[in-house]
Amino acid sequence: MRKATFPGGVHPPPSKLTADSPTVALPLPPRLVVPVAQNLGAPGKPAVAKGERVNRGQTIATPDGFVSAWLHAPTSGTVTGIERVVDAASGRQFDAIAIESDGLDEWADGCDQPRDWRAIKPEEIRKAVAEAGIVGMGGATFPTHVKLTPPPGKTIDTIIINGAECEPYLTCDYRLMLERPADIATGLEICLAATGAKRGIVAIEDNKPEAVRVMTEAVRSVSGAAVQVLETKYPQGAEKQLILACLGREVPTGGLPSDAGAIVQNVGTAAAIAEALAHRRPMTERIVTVSGDAAARPGNFRCRIGTPVRALFEKAGVGADFEALVFGGPLMGKAQFTTELFVKKGTSGVLVFRRAAAYDNGPCIRCGACVRHCPSYLNPSRLSILGESFLDGNLDAIDAAMGIGLMDCILCGTCAYVCPARRRIIHLVEMLRGERRKTLERKREKQREQQAHLKREADKVKS
Amino acid sequence: MSAQAEPIAPKPAAAAKTEPAPPTLVVGHWPHLRGKDSIARIMWSVAACLVPAALASGWFFGIRAYMHIGLAAATAVVTEAAIQRLRKVPVTVSDGSAVVTGILTAFCLPAQAGWYVPVVASLVAVAIAKQCFGGLGANVWNPALIGRAFVHVAYPVDLNPSSYPVLTSGHVTANLGTAGDALPAGVQAITGASPLAQMKAACHAVTGATPGANQLKAGVEAAAADIQAALAQAVQQAQDQIHAGLTGGLPHLGDMLMGSRGGSIGETSALLLALGAVYLIAKGWVRWQIPAAYFGAVILGALALPIHLAAEVTQGTAVVASRDQYLWAAAWMPELAWKYVAYHVLSGGLVLGALYMATDMVTSPLTGRGMLIFGAGCGVLTILIRLYGGYPEAVCYSILLMNTTVALIDRYTLPRIFGHEK
């Protein structure tokens, strides 16, 4: 079989310590804290009050707008309050719904019942996906119903189920493929039905031959579906790079995968779609890989959304001797400044390292490694130099960076991984983007003021 | 090698079962993994790859070669540290880049030069060519070559290629004196000079390495009737000298490969230089595109461009007749032509320049395509200067000129951004 891939990228040590560790269900913690900011887009609005009794699967927050997601009680118990907790993705504080478990773990009415999803119309499927609170489980947490609703005029011909899992250490997707291949295949079938796409691809890197075998078997019954073996390379699982590898199509700049006729869903998302549609189970749990050199018993744990990280640490034998706590993979995951954190829908991994990676921030020696490896074909060296130039007071650096593709960076970190000067390239790119946003906001504010001023002047003349 | 980049087997946690004290967390931007390369690793590897050629230089040119390398490297390190102190920036001599600059500077100087030559060259390389531009990564031109260009102008006698150390059968160094006196006696008299100077002398049948002197003075006070005959004789004589050079007058090609020939300290042993370069290319720290394009352009240029002979007959001070003659190496196919090309590749600083100077990361383009253009440009300039310029050692200035164009090359060779139209 042809091994598909994309130009550029790197081969970091895979470090998949937990590949052979079957998923273990984490004992239900006595207290769960569910942050309302679970998804990309607007956080949900809490729909329960302190003291209220909830059952598993009951809605506890409703979406605030279209690009927003429903949230459900991860177990049965009592709401003990709305707290402010740190969000692992942004580092900012958001509301979180604290639930004291009653230990019964009872499903809410209407949940956990089989349903014949084949009888449901596409728009009803999308509605059901939305109401099950499904978001992208690869880490980006984009609401899945939005993805399944292509903009008018765009035709989706292919659904790609992303089983690449190109991040080192993470194995939650791999274990899911081995343990629940049928659910993933059903999820793919549902996505095909919801969008009218004819072709389904399960994309898996070639370092997971067992998953390739199992998934090939599982999708045999799904018409138009097949497994695509990918070269093992980071960032093979990045959406745009995956579409290029599988279909040979480039998502145009500023565009969405639908502009290339494709939708990409993580394997975990596909399984969650199957759960929601075929069993009426909203998203209340996920698999989390706990790994890193500071974890004595690394493993894959099936745990409820809102599980305290401390509970995972206890199970995985994580002590206090670590310097870095990362949510997600080591290349694109976010370093945390506190351990008062809770598992979210997008928490694919919780990694603990004895030593944090150092940024030497040396001078760029123009070795060109970042340019050669960049999967977006950018010049990260130049972008980082423009970032430093901006910090030195050169305000024109933002425009210069815009001219060389500042917004086309996918922030995968490949450049910073290969950089011999260990420059904080992605940091500078994000800084430039943030500053650009601020500049635009200031500009808009100024325009509004000017317009208001003109209007006042005009009114004066009239009166 | 950073510990974070390697998978580390899980170790049992020492912490007790009780609630552990919250660890002090270090928050950095992603990625939280780093590759193994570092500036120090690259620079010290380059330095290590230069060691075989450096060791061999003592065998070929005597203890002075080691002295020069040591002086140049020490001057580079001291200068860099001193200037960084003055600039109040961290002293980074431990990253090895100053040592590499020092070694490379010494490599393109002759062993017979005075002790002050490597010191001044290295000082200029680090102080002016590197630190004045902002230090590592910010310089436009290769520091070692700027140092070399400076001393070439400042100490023309020390740097005169015809005064380069001469190899005798026992690898004893000796100074032959200037080729200016030597040439009229015939090709034999310049066999000690660097092969490139010899070849240029032979090609042009010039009076030594004096820049611009590419006429063959065929005879003073020649009778008018004999003028045409004298011209023809002059041209013939020049051609004969070239053939004599290629068939025996020049050092044996095997010696050229090993390094027993005249020349600068580190440029002579093509084999030892290539050995280190193969390692650096395998590691990806030297990109193959630059040397490939450089050597390719020189080889094609040597085959495609003619040797120019200018013969003239003078009476008193007046030139009474002259003739231009062009010789095409391709016409000597197969044997002599390849030999001629091989001398072009192996002589002078070409091997050192193409493998270690032109490939300097800081002063070469970022992309493979850019590197091909850059290398080809170096090659074309080198062969043009060698064949038609007045100075036999073309590599230094070719690379410096091409360094100047790097920003422009980068501008037009960066790849199309993902998702953009070309």
Side-chain angles (χ1 to χ4, degrees):
Chain A
M1 197 182 289
R2 183 184 66 99
K3 275 184 208 163
T5 193
F6 64 97
V10 281
H11 300 95
S15 313
K16 305 267 190 188
L17 313 176
T18 50
D20 298 325
S21 316
T23 306
V24 175
L26 196 78
L28 199 59
R31 190 167 170 273
L32 293 154
V33 179
V34 187
V36 292
Q38 288 280 350
N39 53 279
L40 206 75
K45 290 181 293 191
V48 286
K50 185 176 175 180
E52 203 170 314
R53 216 203 106 73
V54 289
N55 279 334
R56 184 176 181 191
Q58 185 180 330
T59 302
I60 54 171
T62 50
D64 188 10
F66 183 57
V67 187
S68 189
W70 297 69
L71 199 52
H72 306 85
T75 187
S76 61
T78 313
V79 176
T80 56
I82 312 287
E83 301 177 358
R84 296 290 280 178
V85 299
V86 172
D87 170 42
S90 64
R92 286 181 296 190
Q93 286 202 329
F94 283 100
D95 282 343
I97 298 156
I99 295 168
E100 203 163 315
S101 167
D102 59 10
L104 301 173
D105 203 23
E106 279 176 333
W107 281 98
D109 290 344
C111 288
D112 196 29
Q113 281 161 16
R115 158 161 70 179
D116 181 18
W117 65 268
R118 284 194 169 78
I120 307 174
K121 286 204 267 306
E123 51 272 31
E124 292 296 314
I125 293 179
R126 287 198 283 268
K127 191 159 168 276
V129 166
E131 284 173 3
I134 298 173
V135 301
M137 294 180 80
T141 66
F142 193 74
T144 302
H145 66 279
V146 182
K147 260 193 187 178
L148 290 177
T149 315
K154 300 271 162 61
T155 326
I156 304 300
D157 55 32
T158 310
I159 304 286
I160 300 172
I161 301 299
N162 186 355
E165 201 162 51
C166 56
E167 280 269 16
Y169 291 97
L170 300 190
T171 53
C172 54
D173 290 352
Y174 175 65
R175 290 314 307 181
L176 189 75
M177 287 190 280
L178 292 193
E179 292 163 18
R180 289 169 56 198
D183 284 349
I184 296 168
T186 307
L188 170 59
E189 218 175 343
I190 295 169
C191 287
L192 291 170
T195 55
K198 294 281 169 281
R199 197 173 160 204
I201 296 172
V202 180
I204 305 169
E205 285 188 341
D206 63 355
N207 62 349
K208 308 176 187 72
E210 192 57 21
V212 170
R213 194 185 61 75
V214 169
M215 285 311 304
T216 306
E217 197 58 44
V219 298
R220 195 154 284 170
S221 58
V222 182
S223 89
V227 168
Q228 172 69 62
V229 180
L230 305 164
E231 189 191 321
T232 303
K233 187 164 74 170
Y234 180 86
Q236 186 71 77
E239 204 165 52
K240 291 177 180 180
Q241 280 59 38
L242 190 63
I243 293 170
L244 179 64
C246 292
L247 303 175
R249 300 177 196 158
E250 258 181 34
V251 177
T253 175
L256 291 169
S258 57
D259 292 309
I263 290 174
V264 179
Q265 303 283 12
N266 173 264
V267 285
T269 315
I273 291 171
E275 284 271 287
L277 268 291
H279 304 284
R280 291 180 191 265
R281 290 181 199 136
M283 188 184 274
T284 56
E285 64 179 11
R286 70 155 299 137
I287 305 174
V288 179
T289 300
V290 183
S291 190
D293 60 359
R297 298 182 296 277
N300 304 294
F301 303 103
R302 197 169 70 243
C303 58
R304 300 294 160 87
I305 308 300
T307 299
V309 163
R310 291 274 171 88
L312 285 169
F313 281 178
E314 206 171 292
K315 192 82 180 166
V318 177
D321 57 338
F322 57 92
E323 199 174 81
L325 166 61
V326 174
F327 264 49
L331 283 157
M332 270 194 90
K334 313 287 181 288
Q336 306 298 328
F337 57 85
T338 171
T339 52
E340 286 300 316
L341 295 165
F342 306 91
V343 170
K344 303 207 310 173
K345 292 175 182 177
T347 308
S348 49
V350 172
L351 306 179
V352 277
F353 298 107
R354 288 170 193 278
R355 286 276 162 271
Y359 278 98
D360 299 351
N361 256 333
C364 172
I365 55 167
R366 295 177 41 84
C367 69
C370 55
V371 177
R372 282 194 298 281
H373 292 282
C374 177
S376 297
Y377 324 148
L378 296 167
N379 181 354
S381 152
R382 183 85 194 125
L383 285 171
S384 71
I385 290 168
L386 285 170
E388 288 171 338
S389 169
F390 180 85
L391 292 176
D392 283 342
N394 172 19
L395 301 180
D396 295 335
I398 297 177
D399 286 339
M402 286 301 291
I404 58 167
L406 178 64
M407 304 314 278
D408 290 294
C409 174
I410 59 166
L411 306 173
C412 66
T414 297
C415 48
Y417 175 80
V418 297
C419 180
R422 313 232 163 120
R423 290 166 63 74
R424 43 176 187 164
I425 304 174
I426 299 293
H427 197 165
L428 290 163
V429 166
E430 280 224 302
M431 184 274 295
L432 281 175
R433 282 189 181 179
E435 292 298 329
R436 175 176 169 269
R437 211 160 37 234
K438 280 189 219 161
T439 319
L440 282 181
E441 276 160 19
R442 273 199 295 273
K443 223 180 245 171
R444 276 197 213 106
E445 187 59 32
K446 217 172 179 180
Q447 273 172 353
R448 271 198 294 274
E449 269 169 31
Q450 249 167 5
Q451 270 161 2
H453 176 72
L454 286 175
K455 196 164 174 290
R456 275 197 302 276
E457 293 294 304
D459 291 347
K460 259 188 224 164
V461 172
K462 260 184 228 163
S463 59
Chain B
M1 188 185 300
S2 65
Q4 297 82 43
E6 290 293 295
I8 294 165
K11 290 181 191 113
K17 257 287 186 201
T18 53
E19 187 75 5
T24 309
L25 294 174
V26 176
V27 179
H29 205 280
W30 74 87
H32 309 287
L33 278 186
R34 289 289 182 292
K36 288 183 217 145
D37 284 2
S38 68
I39 293 178
R41 194 174 145 108
I42 295 173
M43 292 300 171
W44 286 112
S45 299
V46 173
C49 287
L50 291 169
V51 164
L55 287 176
S57 70
W59 171 255
F60 296 135
F61 302 116
I63 201 80
R64 277 186 82 87
Y66 293 155
M67 186 185 85
H68 281 8
I69 294 170
L71 276 173
T75 309
V77 169
V78 170
T79 309
E80 177 132 307
I83 293 179
Q84 285 179 329
R85 275 279 172 81
L86 285 175
R87 286 177 60 206
K88 297 191 169 62
V89 295
V91 176
T92 57
V93 290
S94 62
D95 70 13
S97 74
V99 172
V100 169
T101 300
I103 298 175
L104 284 174
T105 306
F107 268 25
C108 50
L109 300 172
Q112 290 312 108
W115 65 269
Y116 45 88
V117 174
V119 171
V120 171
S122 203
L123 187 84
V124 169
V126 173
I128 293 177
K130 189 177 171 192
Q131 288 295 336
C132 274
F133 285 81
L136 181 64
N139 48 302
V140 178
W141 293 283
N142 185 309
L145 291 178
I146 291 284
R148 141 110 208 190
F150 181 86
V151 292
H152 181 245
V153 178
Y155 306 106
V157 176
D158 289 278
L159 270 287
N160 188 335
S162 52
S163 74
Y164 279 16
V166 177
L167 295 162
T168 62
S169 51
H171 293 127
V172 180
T173 56
N175 196 345
L176 194 84
T178 63
D181 330 319
L183 189 78
V187 174
Q188 191 56 42
I190 57 162
T191 45
S194 108
L196 197 64
Q198 284 176 51
M199 189 149 68
K200 197 166 178 80
C203 288
H204 296 318
V206 296
T207 47
T210 316
N214 59 349
Q215 284 88 16
L216 180 80
K217 291 196 169 60
V220 184
E221 307 292 330
D226 300 333
I227 285 173
Q228 289 309 315
L231 268 178
Q233 191 198 339
V235 168
Q236 189 56 48
Q237 200 182 326
Q239 292 190 19
D240 287 349
Q241 284 185 343
I242 292 167
H243 280 263
L246 286 175
T247 50
L250 290 165
H252 190 266
L253 270 176
D255 287 342
M256 297 284 289
L257 201 64
M258 296 307 296
S260 336
R261 57 139 167 128
S264 299
I265 290 169
E267 70 179 23
T268 64
S269 179
L271 202 69
L272 293 177
L273 288 170
L275 203 69
V278 166
Y279 174 77
L280 293 176
I281 289 172
K283 279 287 187 186
W285 295 327
V286 159
R287 308 296 298 172
W288 61 269
Q289 285 95 337
I290 292 174
Y294 202 155
F295 287 125
V298 165
I299 291 167
L300 287 178
L303 286 172
L305 296 170
I307 299 160
H308 178 213
L309 297 178
E312 62 182 32
V313 174
T314 51
Q315 282 185 326
T317 53
V319 176
V320 292
S322 64
R323 189 198 284 180
D324 291 311
Q325 184 86 11
Y326 292 93
L327 300 180
W328 303 82
W332 309 329
M333 284 288 201
E335 201 187 319
L336 277 187
W338 293 123
K339 226 171 159 186
Y340 168 76
V341 168
Y343 276 110
H344 263 299
V345 170
L346 294 175
S347 61
L350 183 60
V351 173
L352 177 66
L355 295 179
Y356 292 93
M357 304 283 199
T359 56
D360 169 30
M361 289 171 171
V362 175
T363 55
S364 62
L366 288 168
T367 64
R369 260 193 320 156
M371 288 173 185
L372 286 174
I373 295 169
F374 175 84
C378 289
V380 167
L381 285 175
T382 299
I383 198 76
L384 285 177
I385 295 173
R386 277 187 178 179
L387 289 179
Y388 311 116
Y391 169 56
E393 188 44 86
V395 171
C396 171
Y397 291 106
S398 304
I399 296 174
L400 288 175
L401 280 168
M402 287 311 291
N403 285 161
T404 315
T405 69
V406 163
L408 195 67
I409 293 175
D410 274 346
R411 193 190 178 98
Y412 291 104
T413 54
L414 278 168
R416 173 191 64 87
I417 298 170
F418 190 102
H420 284 246
E421 300 283 326
K422 184 61 209 171

